[in-house]
Amino acid sequence: MQTVKMVVTGPFNAGKTEFIRSVSEIDVVSTERKISTESERVKETTTVAMDFGRITVDEDLVLYLFGTPGQKRFDFMWEILSEGMLGFVVMVDSTRPETFREARSILETFRAYAPTPYVVAANKQDREDAWEIDDMRIALRLDPKIKLLPCVATEKEMVKNVLLELLYSILADMESKGGG
Amino acid sequence: MALKGNLRDYTVTHLFRLINLAQKTGTLIVDGPNEKVLVSFREGKLAYAQAGQEDNSLVTILYQAKKLTAPQYRALKERAGNMSDKELGLLLVNANYINQQDILVSLQNHFVAIVNRLFTWVEGFFRFESDLLPPDDKITVRVSLENIIIEGARQLRELEQLQDEIPNLDIALKFADRPGANIRNFNLSVEEWQVVRYINPKNTIRQIARATKMSDLQIRKIVYALLQAGLVELVRAEGAPRPAPPPQVASRIPVTQPNPEEQKSLINRLINRIRSL
């Protein structure tokens, strides 16, 4: 049995757990705990170690999706989770510009852990106060070559699209390196 | 969809950078603690600004700019009270009171002064309205934002903020590939020009600081201003080693690394599976 993994990362409350929950065939193995810090109490619970979802491809291949903890004090988990990943998704809350800088910093950290392909998902694009994709690209200082994709983490089709775009990027990366 | 937030989280410098790079047209409305400022843009250039309920009439702006005497100001206020700024401007030019250039420069200075005030604000809700343009009867200008951004960025003094913006000095700079952004049009200080001379993907920021005998704080301030103005971009220094992979850590979930020949077929299988979900 072959196992491969992709990592879903991003700032606190960006929607990583929901993203994995939308496509995982198992109930997401979650390590959510009640939030202790008053300033971060925009939701009741947060992921403290990782979220873990699974998609069985066939009898020989399984894809694991790992969601990283969003709170900075659990960032020691990031390196462990990034090991051996095929690629990663950076989730950004389109309605919270105050998290853009942190998203950028997380992106840079993961790029340093492993130079694998990645895409950025602009989550909560269904909200009225969501920033436009083009504005987010400038705010996040993303290279035009990096895919910035609209997303609503609770909508399966949009989550599938993000994962597919990441896989297309991985494929393109392999072809450019002459692999396969 | 919205371009809105709080200056506490997204500063005026960042906003102007975005408006400049995205070449936006519309009006930025900022509700500060004590007043409300409206700044209008056309294709990423400053067009108009209004602070609170301040008198923004052309006659007052020209008087404040010392282009009109007090008696002229009073007379025009009395007799031309119902005229629009455009009509009044035309009248003044035709009557040889003032030339068109004086009017434009006075308006430009007035609008830039309002914008510069904004750079001192650390708190305030902002929103950008694409449909809101300056009133038709007002004279608008066309001022590039780069110099305004550089001036605003010079006001950032906090080392902590600068370290957040430029955490790594072992990275290089290159000139941004932007049509119309000509370095010669920027009002740079001597120190900024010194740095500009060394901009090259081969030189790290740290090396430039050494060559120009600048402290970390000084070089960060200058690089921050150039970055915000969209003049330069951060790039990995040519010849710099790629970051080392992390040390091997025992993973709780065993992950198989397929060989390169199998990888493409593996990715295609994943693609097919996710499509079918």
Side-chain angles (χ1 to χ4, degrees):
Chain A
M1 169 73 72
Q2 266 190 331
T3 57
V4 288
K5 75 172 176 186
M6 299 202 290
V7 168
V8 182
T9 187
F12 168 73
N13 199 32
K16 302 176 288 294
T17 305
E18 281 302 323
F19 183 94
I20 296 174
R21 199 168 276 156
S22 290
V23 287
S24 175
E25 65 198 17
I26 57 168
D27 285 340
V28 172
V29 181
S30 194
T31 53
E32 290 191 328
R33 292 287 179 274
K34 286 204 171 199
I35 291 170
S36 53
T37 314
E38 199 56 43
S39 62
E40 287 171 331
R41 202 181 287 279
V42 294
K43 60 177 184 175
E44 283 301 308
T45 59
T46 191
T47 302
V48 294
M50 62 177 176
D51 288 321
F52 171 53
R54 189 183 75 195
I55 299 170
T56 304
V57 178
D58 50 41
E59 56 190 19
D60 298 322
L61 180 60
V62 172
L63 168 66
Y64 292 122
L65 294 173
F66 287 88
T68 65
Q71 287 177 299
K72 198 81 181 160
R73 63 179 179 276
F74 300 114
D75 63 4
F76 58 89
M77 286 298 297
W78 296 356
E79 195 171 321
I80 298 169
L81 293 175
S82 68
E83 191 198 344
M85 64 185 171
L86 279 178
F88 63 97
V89 177
V90 183
M91 299 285 293
V92 189
D93 183 339
S94 308
T95 68
R96 295 177 64 214
E98 66 269 29
T99 65
F100 293 172
R101 191 184 297 174
E102 191 190 347
R104 175 81 214 168
S105 157
I106 292 172
L107 190 159
E108 293 293 347
T109 305
F110 270 83
R111 276 181 66 191
Y113 287 151
T116 56
Y118 63 94
V119 295
V120 182
N123 193 24
K124 306 183 191 178
Q125 279 286 310
D126 55 337
R127 304 264 181 96
E128 199 184 318
D129 51 352
W131 280 39
E132 286 181 23
I133 293 287
D134 289 346
D135 292 343
M136 287 183 70
R137 180 177 288 282
I138 293 173
L140 290 164
R141 296 185 192 171
L142 289 182
D143 187 288
K145 284 178 276 187
I146 302 302
K147 292 175 185 170
L148 174 61
L149 306 157
C151 184
V152 177
T154 50
E155 287 186 17
K156 188 177 179 180
E157 287 305 313
M158 295 193 93
V159 172
K160 276 170 61 180
N161 181 57
V162 171
L163 291 175
L164 284 169
E165 288 296 340
L166 175 58
L167 287 164
Y168 299 147
S169 295
I170 294 168
L171 206 53
D173 184 60
M174 282 175 184
E175 281 167 358
S176 72
K177 288 175 181 163
Chain B
M1 285 212 279
L3 173 55
K4 61 182 183 181
N6 193 314
L7 295 181
R8 194 181 51 225
D9 309 315
Y10 204 73
T11 64
V12 174
T13 314
H14 288 129
L15 270 174
F16 274 49
R17 175 179 178 271
L18 195 156
I19 291 164
N20 180 35
L21 295 181
Q23 301 196 349
K24 284 187 171 292
T25 296
T27 297
L28 177 70
I29 302 157
V30 189
D31 267 310
N34 301 313
E35 67 175 343
K36 181 176 179 174
V37 166
L38 281 78
V39 188
S40 300
F41 303 88
R42 261 186 223 284
E43 294 168 343
K45 296 203 168 9
L46 174 65
Y48 184 78
Q50 161 87 55
Q53 299 302 314
E54 281 178 15
D55 182 356
N56 226 31
S57 65
L58 179 63
V59 65
T60 301
I61 292 170
L62 291 175
Y63 174 59
Q64 286 169 346
K66 298 187 171 34
K67 299 294 176 191
L68 296 175
T69 62
Q72 284 173 330
Y73 172 66
R74 278 195 299 273
L76 284 168
K77 270 281 188 192
E78 278 171 26
R79 291 177 210 161
N82 293 328
M83 284 180 124
S84 74
D85 279 1
K86 282 182 181 168
E87 288 169 333
L88 180 66
L90 208 57
L91 181 84
L92 292 173
V93 171
N94 288 339
N96 285 328
Y97 264 94
I98 193 167
N99 63 38
Q100 187 180 335
Q101 189 62 18
D102 279 342
I103 292 178
L104 290 176
V105 169
S106 302
L107 287 172
Q108 188 173 311
N109 291 342
H110 179 73
F111 299 153
V112 169
I114 291 174
V115 166
N116 282 341
R117 255 155 59 190
L118 266 186
F119 281 104
T120 62
W121 293 14
V122 289
E123 181 91 21
F125 286 100
F126 67 81
R127 66 180 196 279
F128 188 86
E129 302 276 356
S130 309
D131 306 330
L132 188 62
L133 294 171
D136 281 342
D137 58 336
K138 293 290 183 187
I139 301 170
T140 56
V141 296
R142 196 172 162 78
V143 184
S144 294
L145 290 186
E146 285 92 347
N147 284 326
I148 294 174
I149 294 170
I150 288 174
E151 191 51 48
R154 283 181 190 138
Q155 296 179 29
L156 189 71
R157 292 286 180 268
E158 301 297 328
L159 177 61
E160 202 177 309
Q161 264 178 289
L162 287 164
Q163 273 172 335
D164 254 10
E165 296 283 347
I166 309 158
N168 182 5
L169 292 184
D170 294 315
I171 200 159
L173 298 166
K174 75 173 181 82
F175 288 109
D177 189 15
R178 283 179 53 219
N182 188 335
I183 188 88
R184 288 184 183 81
N185 298 334
F186 295 111
N187 299 328
L188 300 182
S189 65
V190 175
E191 291 78 14
E192 285 158 350
W193 276 116
Q194 278 184 315
V195 171
V196 165
R197 279 173 51 215
Y198 287 98
I199 289 177
N200 183 321
K202 289 177 184 163
N203 298 332
T204 66
I205 298 173
R206 198 182 299 283
Q207 286 168 331
I208 298 175
R210 253 184 242 134
T212 53
K213 298 187 171 52
M214 286 186 192
S215 67
D216 283 4
L217 175 63
Q218 284 172 311
I219 193 82
R220 276 196 163 95
K221 271 166 62 177
I222 290 174
V223 171
Y224 174 70
L226 298 175
L227 274 173
Q228 294 304 319
L231 267 175
V232 298
E233 291 169 4
L234 296 171
V235 289
R236 191 191 298 277
E238 277 179 17
R242 292 205 153 255
Q248 292 299 302
V249 184
S251 182
R252 306 237 168 120
I253 308 289
V255 175
T256 316
Q257 285 291 342
N259 70 46
E261 290 76 32
E262 290 172 337
Q263 278 186 339
K264 198 171 165 183
S265 121
L266 183 146
I267 300 299
N268 279 319
R269 282 156 71 197
L270 288 169
I271 288 171
N272 289 335
R273 175 69 182 107
I274 286 172
R275 277 185 187 148
S276 72
L277 283 175

